[in-house]
Amino acid sequence: MPSCKTPDSSKTTRTLSRTLLAGGKGTTHGTITAVYQKADVPGEPIAPPLVIGDARSLSVTPYHVDVLHCDKPKPQPIHRTEDFVINEVGVSESYQLTQLGWIVASAISRMKEGGQSSKIPGWAGYYSLLSAGQSVTQVGALPLLPEVAHEWPTLLTVIMQASQLRYLAVGDDHPTVISFDMALYEKVLQLLDARPNLKSTVVPRLGELHVVMAALRALGASMENSGIDDAWIGADVYGSATTRQILKCNYYKRALRAHIYSYVALYEIALDEFFMDNPYLGEACSEATEGVEAACSKGNKCTKAESVKEANITLLEALATAEVVKKFKEWETERSKNAMFKSMMNYIHRVETILFFVAVSRNADLMLHLEAGEALNKMFFAMDRIKNKRLWPRYIADMNDLRTNYPNTWRELEAGNISLPRPSSRW
């Protein structure tokens, strides 16, 4: 499902193309493009508002857009003229500290309760309280394209339609950013390589959903028969059939939830040993955790979010002052001489990288998107995800190129326009 987004000081536009398939004879193939416009964006408008029909009242009518002719493009050799600098540090320590803050507070809270449920919510719930809200988008739809989305003429038509949106929003010198799933992204790259004149009008993006699912499949392949999957079955958490579905990521939400459960359980074991070896750090973290527990226990939703943010800042300051991240890494390096411990920590770090990347689409953080994306690239190569390890490095390079080639577009994405806000609970 390709989606496009035109960064703008007055409004942000996204286009989502979806194939509608009906079963049986006489199946009608069509591609409908939904448009998302951000409302109440500050700044001086440079063009009149783009009025598009409401998607809720959309019905298929005889009116449609003619599809442009496009033959299958021939493969083109690609040569990068500039050097691409690889981030060897990985995810920044500030993001790691925030993640460690939640897991430390959750683990200490459960230790105090003697193994009972914690007052601190799970990963999604906790970050929902910490995240700032974004302006809600309005949804509309463009005319029907009477072809399936994966055909070359349809892709060219969608790209040309999306490129025309920039004239209505930001002007000729700004490209339109379009998001695609993996199957369509691969084809769009071939199309743009064969038509260099289109490269200055659109910038393709790879949708986060298919990237995360590929990472979860790679994670499942790495942990199969490692004992973690057997623990799920032995503890009656999941059945054997469900476990196979989780390892293959047949269902995204179920697979992500299962790995979060295992991530928390294994991290708590590691932190328990860490605090036993460093009791003074455990005492410092316990004091800060009490404030987070008290904040999470409040009932009012508005005051609870503000209280949790303040308590989280205090917790992170305590962790930073005690250099918990640095000392935990040193302790982990020392303990990694044990092969079983090293295997457990490798699994924890892989799940953590996926969680960082998932947080991007919900928190609209461009830098974390690129840092976590480069970390995911290592997993794709290690677990031989052929298509991802071939296309993902180019995607990261193209996104980094926006900083120099299209600085205004880069600033819009950096300001939070990299993801689509939702009116309901964002996490």
Side-chain angles (χ1 to χ4, degrees):
M1 294 184 292
S3 66
C4 83
K5 179 177 183 178
T6 307
D8 183 14
S9 57
S10 60
K11 57 182 174 295
T12 299
T13 308
R14 278 188 165 225
T15 307
L16 180 67
S17 175
R18 182 170 300 171
T19 302
L20 303 180
L21 300 176
K25 294 182 178 180
T27 299
T28 300
H29 299 274
T31 301
I32 290 181
T33 305
V35 179
Y36 297 82
Q37 292 179 295
K38 184 173 290 187
D40 302 327
V41 177
E44 182 181 355
I46 63 174
L50 184 62
V51 180
I52 301 176
D54 187 1
R56 297 179 182 178
S57 61
L58 182 66
S59 60
V60 178
T61 66
Y63 304 102
H64 63 266
V65 175
D66 293 331
V67 177
L68 303 176
H69 174 75
C70 180
D71 296 324
K72 181 179 179 180
K74 297 180 180 179
Q76 301 291 328
I78 302 300
H79 302 287
R80 293 187 62 86
T81 57
E82 65 278 2
D83 295 331
F84 174 61
V85 180
I86 299 176
N87 179 19
E88 298 180 355
V89 180
V91 178
S92 300
E93 189 171 319
S94 59
Y95 298 119
Q96 297 182 28
L97 183 64
T98 304
Q99 182 76 5
L100 185 63
W102 165 70
I103 195 67
V104 165
S106 181
I108 292 179
S109 177
R110 259 185 284 270
M111 293 175 189
K112 288 182 178 180
E113 297 293 335
Q116 298 179 4
S117 60
S118 172
K119 297 178 182 178
I120 298 176
W123 177 76
Y126 188 75
Y127 278 89
S128 293
L129 297 173
L130 298 181
S131 300
Q134 300 182 29
S135 56
V136 182
T137 54
Q138 300 174 346
V139 185
L142 296 180
L144 175 71
L145 297 178
E147 295 291 344
V148 294
H150 62 268
E151 296 290 344
W152 296 107
T154 308
L155 290 175
L156 178 60
T157 306
V158 170
I159 290 175
M160 296 304 297
Q161 281 187 324
S163 65
Q164 292 298 318
L165 291 177
R166 62 201 178 102
Y167 295 110
L168 301 174
V170 293
D172 189 26
D173 55 339
H174 297 273
T176 301
V177 181
I178 316 176
S179 298
F180 298 91
D181 61 24
M182 176 57 74
L184 298 183
Y185 179 77
E186 183 179 19
K187 284 192 166 187
V188 167
L189 289 183
Q190 297 179 42
L191 190 59
L192 294 180
D193 291 339
R195 296 172 179 249
N197 60 308
L198 294 179
K199 287 189 176 183
S200 61
T201 63
V202 295
V203 176
R205 279 196 64 220
L206 192 54
E208 286 87 352
L209 175 62
H210 287 256
V211 176
V212 175
M213 292 184 69
L216 289 173
R217 292 190 184 102
L219 179 63
S222 69
M223 62 168 287
E224 191 171 6
N225 299 323
S226 65
I228 298 177
D229 50 344
D230 295 330
W232 290 344
I233 299 174
D236 290 333
V237 178
Y238 297 107
S240 57
T242 304
T243 298
R244 288 193 297 272
Q245 293 174 350
I246 291 172
L247 296 179
K248 296 179 180 179
C249 193
N250 292 346
Y251 302 97
Y252 163 76
K253 196 71 175 180
R254 178 180 291 177
L256 183 62
R257 187 184 297 116
H259 289 299
I260 290 177
Y261 290 160
S262 300
Y263 166 80
V264 173
L266 294 176
Y267 221 137
E268 287 185 3
I269 296 174
L271 287 175
D272 191 16
E273 293 293 323
F274 174 69
F275 289 137
M276 287 179 62
D277 294 343
N278 304 273
Y280 66 97
L281 292 177
E283 294 175 1
C285 294
S286 296
E287 295 177 2
T289 300
E290 291 177 358
V292 178
E293 286 184 288
C296 292
S297 301
K298 294 185 178 180
N300 189 289
K301 185 175 181 181
C302 297
T303 58
K304 180 178 180 179
E306 294 300 323
S307 301
V308 171
K309 289 178 183 178
E310 295 177 1
N312 183 71
I313 293 175
T314 304
L315 174 62
L316 297 185
E317 289 177 351
L319 295 177
T321 303
E323 296 183 331
V324 175
V325 174
K326 177 182 177 181
K327 293 176 180 177
F328 184 82
K329 289 181 178 178
E330 294 174 352
W331 176 82
E332 179 187 340
T333 302
E334 182 181 352
R335 286 296 190 96
S336 292
K337 298 176 183 178
N338 184 298
M340 185 173 293
F341 176 84
K342 186 174 183 179
S343 175
M344 180 186 76
M345 294 307 300
N346 284 339
Y347 172 78
I348 287 176
H349 292 317
R350 287 167 182 167
V351 176
E352 198 167 54
T353 301
I354 294 175
L355 292 181
F356 282 136
F357 192 81
V358 173
V360 172
S361 59
R362 304 177 183 184
N363 226 14
D365 193 326
L366 176 61
M367 297 311 300
L368 181 58
H369 174 77
L370 297 176
E371 292 177 3
E374 289 192 35
L376 283 180
N377 199 36
K378 300 177 183 178
M379 190 185 304
F380 295 146
F381 273 88
M383 303 314 300
D384 200 27
R385 305 301 301 181
I386 298 176
K387 190 171 292 188
N388 292 87
K389 73 180 184 181
R390 179 168 57 86
L391 297 177
W392 189 244
R394 175 173 177 178
Y395 166 74
I396 295 295
D398 290 343
M399 290 298 294
N400 279 286
D401 287 344
L402 290 177
R403 191 197 302 262
T404 54
N405 296 340
Y406 304 103
N408 292 331
T409 302
W410 172 270
R411 284 192 291 270
E412 287 292 336
L413 297 178
E414 197 174 24
N417 292 323
I418 193 174
S419 63
L420 174 67
R422 294 179 295 177
S424 58
S425 177
R426 297 176 56 247
W427 285 74

